[in-house]
Coordinates of all heavy atoms in Angstrom, one line a residue:
Chain A
G1105 N 10.4 0.9 2.5 CA 11.5 1.6 1.8 C 11.2 1.8 0.4 O 11.8 2.7 -0.3
H1139 N -5.2 1.4 7.8 CA -4.8 2.6 8.6 C -3.4 3.0 8.2 O -2.6 2.1 8.0 CB -4.9 2.3 10.1 CG -4.8 3.5 11.0 ND1 -3.6 4.1 11.2 CD2 -5.8 4.2 11.6 CE1 -3.9 5.2 12.0 NE2 -5.2 5.2 12.3
M1141 N -1.0 3.6 9.9 CA 0.1 3.0 10.8 C 0.5 1.6 10.2 O 1.5 1.0 10.7 CB -0.4 2.8 12.2 CG -1.5 1.8 12.5 SD -2.0 1.9 14.2 CE -3.4 0.8 14.2
D1144 N 3.9 0.8 6.3 CA 5.3 0.4 6.0 C 5.3 -1.0 5.3 O 6.1 -1.1 4.3 CB 6.1 0.3 7.3 CG 5.5 -0.5 8.4 OD1 4.2 -0.8 8.3 OD2 6.1 -1.0 9.4
D1145 N 4.6 -2.0 5.8 CA 4.7 -3.3 5.2 C 3.4 -4.0 4.8 O 3.4 -5.1 4.4 CB 5.6 -4.2 6.0 CG 5.0 -4.5 7.3 OD1 4.0 -3.8 7.7 OD2 5.5 -5.5 8.0
Q1154 N -7.6 6.6 -2.1 CA -6.6 5.8 -2.9 C -7.2 4.5 -3.3 O -6.9 4.0 -4.5 CB -5.3 5.5 -2.0 CG -4.5 6.7 -1.8 CD -3.4 6.6 -0.8 OE1 -3.5 5.7 0.1 NE2 -2.4 7.5 -0.8
E1181 N -10.8 12.9 7.2 CA -11.7 14.0 6.8 C -12.4 13.8 5.5 O -13.6 14.2 5.3 CB -10.9 15.3 6.8 CG -11.8 16.5 6.8 CD -10.9 17.8 6.9 OE1 -9.6 17.7 6.9 OE2 -11.4 18.9 6.9
W1204 N -12.2 1.8 18.3 CA -10.8 2.3 18.5 C -10.7 2.7 20.0 O -11.3 3.6 20.4 CB -10.4 3.5 17.7 CG -9.0 3.9 17.9 CD1 -8.5 4.6 19.0 CD2 -7.9 3.7 17.0 NE1 -7.2 4.8 18.8 CE2 -6.8 4.2 17.6 CE3 -7.8 3.0 15.7 CZ2 -5.5 4.2 17.1 CZ3 -6.5 3.0 15.2 CH2 -5.4 3.5 15.8
T1206 N -9.0 3.8 23.7 CA -8.1 4.8 24.2 C -7.7 4.4 25.6 O -8.6 4.3 26.5 CB -8.8 6.2 24.3 OG1 -9.2 6.6 23.0 CG2 -7.8 7.3 24.8
T1208 N -4.8 2.7 23.0 CA -4.6 1.5 22.2 C -3.2 1.1 22.5 O -2.3 1.9 22.3 CB -4.8 1.8 20.7 OG1 -6.2 2.1 20.4 CG2 -4.3 0.6 19.8
L1211 N -0.4 -2.2 18.0 CA -0.8 -1.7 16.7 C -1.7 -2.7 15.9 O -2.5 -2.3 15.1 CB 0.4 -1.4 15.8 CG 1.1 -0.1 16.1 CD1 2.1 -0.2 17.2 CD2 1.8 0.4 14.8
C1222 N -14.0 5.2 20.3 CA -14.5 6.6 19.9 C -15.0 6.7 18.5 O -15.2 7.8 18.0 CB -13.3 7.6 20.1 SG -11.9 7.1 19.0
Chain B
G174 N -14.4 10.5 21.2 CA -15.8 10.5 21.0 C -16.4 11.8 20.5 O -17.5 11.8 20.0
H208 N 0.3 11.8 13.6 CA -0.2 10.6 12.8 C -1.6 10.2 13.2 O -2.0 10.4 14.3 CB 0.8 9.4 13.2 CG 0.7 8.2 12.3 ND1 -0.4 7.3 12.3 CD2 1.5 7.8 11.3 CE1 -0.2 6.4 11.4 NE2 0.9 6.7 10.8
M210 N -2.9 7.7 14.0 CA -3.1 6.7 15.1 C -3.2 7.5 16.4 O -3.5 6.8 17.5 CB -1.9 5.7 15.2 CG -0.6 6.2 15.5 SD 0.6 4.8 15.3 CE 2.2 5.7 15.6
D213 N -7.5 9.8 18.4 CA -8.5 9.6 19.5 C -8.4 10.6 20.6 O -9.4 11.3 20.9 CB -8.4 8.1 20.0 CG -7.1 7.8 20.5 OD1 -6.1 8.3 20.2 OD2 -7.0 6.8 21.4
D214 N -7.2 10.8 21.1 CA -7.0 11.7 22.2 C -5.9 12.7 22.2 O -5.7 13.5 23.1 CB -7.0 10.9 23.6 CG -5.7 10.1 23.7 OD1 -5.0 9.9 22.6 OD2 -5.4 9.6 24.8
Q223 N -4.7 19.7 7.1 CA -5.5 20.2 8.2 C -4.8 21.3 8.9 O -5.4 22.3 9.4 CB -6.0 19.1 9.1 CG -7.0 18.2 8.5 CD -7.3 17.0 9.2 OE1 -6.5 16.5 10.1 NE2 -8.5 16.3 8.9
E250 N -0.1 11.0 0.9 CA 0.0 11.2 -0.5 C 0.0 12.8 -0.8 O 0.6 13.3 -1.8 CB -1.1 10.6 -1.3 CG -0.9 10.5 -2.8 CD -2.1 9.7 -3.4 OE1 -3.0 9.3 -2.8 OE2 -2.0 9.6 -4.7
W273 N 10.6 5.2 10.9 CA 9.5 4.3 11.1 C 10.0 2.9 11.0 O 10.4 2.5 9.9 CB 8.3 4.6 10.2 CG 7.1 3.7 10.5 CD1 7.0 2.4 10.3 CD2 5.9 4.1 11.2 NE1 5.8 1.9 10.8 CE2 5.1 3.0 11.4 CE3 5.5 5.3 11.7 CZ2 3.9 3.0 12.0 CZ3 4.2 5.3 12.4 CH2 3.4 4.2 12.5
T275 N 10.0 -1.3 11.1 CA 9.2 -2.4 10.8 C 9.7 -3.7 11.4 O 10.9 -4.1 11.2 CB 9.2 -2.7 9.3 OG1 8.7 -1.5 8.6 CG2 8.3 -3.8 8.9
T277 N 6.8 -1.9 14.1 CA 6.7 -1.0 15.2 C 5.9 -1.6 16.3 O 4.8 -2.1 16.0 CB 6.0 0.3 14.7 OG1 6.9 1.0 13.8 CG2 5.7 1.2 15.9
L280 N 2.9 2.2 20.0 CA 2.3 3.3 19.3 C 3.0 4.6 19.7 O 3.0 5.6 18.9 CB 0.8 3.5 19.6 CG -0.1 2.6 18.8 CD1 -0.4 1.2 19.5 CD2 -1.5 3.3 18.6
C291 N 11.8 3.1 7.2 CA 11.4 3.2 5.8 C 11.0 4.6 5.3 O 10.6 4.9 4.2 CB 10.2 2.4 5.5 SG 8.7 2.8 6.5

Side-chain angles (χ1 to χ4, degrees):
Chain A
H1139 194 283
M1141 69 185 175
D1144 55 341
D1145 66 346
Q1154 289 169 340
E1181 192 177 3
W1204 183 286
T1206 302
T1208 291
L1211 281 87
C1222 63
Chain B
H208 194 282
M210 69 184 174
D213 55 340
D214 66 345
Q223 289 169 340
E250 192 176 3
W273 183 285
T275 303
T277 291
L280 279 88
C291 62

